Amino acid sequence: HWLHLWFIPYLFCYNILSIPFFSLLKKGKVVRCLNAFFKGSFQFLIVVFIAIIPYTFLSFHYPASYDLINDIARHSFFIFFVLAGVLFYKLPVLLDSFEKHRRFYLALSILSILCINILRWNGWEPYAIWEDWIDQPQTYLYVGFINLNSWFWVLSCLGYGKKYLNKKSKLLTYSNQAVYPFYILHQTVIVILAYYVVQTPDDTAFKYAFIFVLSFVFCILIYHLFIRPYNWVRFLFGMKKKSSG
């Protein structure tokens, strides 16, 4: 089992599939049409509503398998985020809109996750109410709403990121380069630490805090001391060759 690294082959395939879409967005006429369409404040929500439809229906028939080949429902969920990322990169007007309306998207994110959890905490989910829940239209509305909540969080994070992180910074550059190695390392470090920590008689909250802080520190140290300085190790962790300057 590839454990937490399951998303790497998924993302690789999505990037390959997004190449024709990226090439299409290099055409001036296409870009002009899309810029005109997304010039309004909330037109991208139309794309969001279209994007949530496939997963809403496929998720009941194709449960998560993590094996790449048969994970059809989750492919229909993730691929739209990748294609949206390409769209955001080529159409700055979209990021400008998310920045302008970042508070609105954050409010939607918070309200929708509260509604979802209120249903969960009270046992009001369709699966808990009806035996034939798969035949109930409310079930599809509920799953679609959960999917919609994911998009709200992405759009609000992009809006706040565009506002406060859209500037050159040594810390931001360093962090951007560390993201992929950090992702590869983190579970291994956490599991090794936790194996020993959970056996101690300490308070659970202390164990959690200890694992959280120490795993973060270890990941940063491993990255900074053993990955970042050496080109051959950088290659193994998916990083570009370190420039001589």
Side-chain angles (χ1 to χ4, degrees), residues 42-115:
F42 300 107
Q43 270 83 338
F44 187 74
L45 289 179
I46 298 173
V47 177
V48 171
F49 281 110
I50 293 172
I52 69 175
I53 292 173
Y55 179 77
T56 299
F57 290 93
L58 291 173
S59 60
F60 300 107
H61 305 287
Y62 299 95
S65 64
Y66 299 96
D67 67 354
L68 183 66
I69 305 301
N70 301 301
D71 218 356
I72 296 174
R74 283 150 59 84
H75 287 318
S76 72
F77 177 77
F78 291 122
I79 187 65
F80 283 103
F81 286 102
V82 175
L83 295 178
V86 175
L87 203 61
F88 301 155
Y89 176 73
K90 297 296 291 184
L91 301 176
V93 66
L94 283 171
L95 291 179
D96 292 339
S97 174
F98 302 151
E99 178 186 4
K100 180 180 178 182
H101 301 288
R102 62 190 183 278
R103 295 184 182 87
F104 173 74
Y105 288 118
L106 181 60
L108 288 179
S109 303
I110 294 172
L111 287 173
S112 57
I113 196 64
L114 281 175
C115 291

Side-chain angles (χ1 to χ4, degrees), residues 40-235:
S41 298
F42 300 107
Q43 270 83 338
F44 187 74
L45 289 179
I46 298 173
V47 177
V48 171
F49 281 110
I50 293 172
I52 69 175
I53 292 173
Y55 179 77
T56 299
F57 290 93
L58 291 173
S59 60
F60 300 107
H61 305 287
Y62 299 95
S65 64
Y66 299 96
D67 67 354
L68 183 66
I69 305 301
N70 301 301
D71 218 356
I72 296 174
R74 283 150 59 84
H75 287 318
S76 72
F77 177 77
F78 291 122
I79 187 65
F80 283 103
F81 286 102
V82 175
L83 295 178
V86 175
L87 203 61
F88 301 155
Y89 176 73
K90 297 296 291 184
L91 301 176
V93 66
L94 283 171
L95 291 179
D96 292 339
S97 174
F98 302 151
E99 178 186 4
K100 180 180 178 182
H101 301 288
R102 62 190 183 278
R103 295 184 182 87
F104 173 74
Y105 288 118
L106 181 60
L108 288 179
S109 303
I110 294 172
L111 287 173
S112 57
I113 196 64
L114 281 175
C115 291
I116 290 167
N117 280 315
I118 287 171
L119 293 175
R120 289 175 57 244
W121 295 334
N122 289 280
W124 296 338
E125 293 175 293
Y127 331 114
I129 297 177
W130 297 290
E131 290 186 5
D132 61 339
W133 54 267
I134 199 169
D135 298 321
Q136 300 294 329
Q138 293 91 328
T139 301
Y140 297 90
L141 290 174
Y142 178 69
V143 173
F145 189 52
I146 293 175
N147 198 338
L148 191 61
N149 174 255
S150 301
W151 281 95
F152 287 155
W153 283 110
V154 168
L155 300 185
S156 61
C157 287
L158 285 171
Y160 278 93
K162 174 69 164 53
K163 176 68 175 178
Y164 298 108
L165 299 177
N166 191 32
K167 53 188 176 183
K168 290 186 177 180
S169 161
K170 289 184 178 180
L171 177 61
L172 188 60
T173 301
Y174 181 92
S175 300
N176 279 338
Q177 293 180 359
V179 166
Y180 193 42
F182 198 99
Y183 169 72
I184 294 173
L185 289 170
H186 78 277
Q187 189 180 58
T188 303
V189 173
I190 289 171
V191 170
I192 292 173
L193 282 173
Y195 175 78
Y196 295 100
V197 174
V198 296
Q199 300 179 62
T200 66
D202 298 317
D203 182 74
T204 302
F206 174 79
K207 291 180 182 180
Y208 179 86
F210 185 83
I211 294 171
F212 177 83
V213 173
L214 211 59
S215 60
F216 181 82
V217 171
F218 278 157
C219 285
I220 292 296
L221 288 175
I222 294 171
Y223 167 73
H224 188 80
L225 297 176
F226 302 107
I227 299 175
R228 186 170 179 267
Y230 308 107
N231 280 327
W232 69 274
V233 186
R234 291 170 69 95
F235 173 77

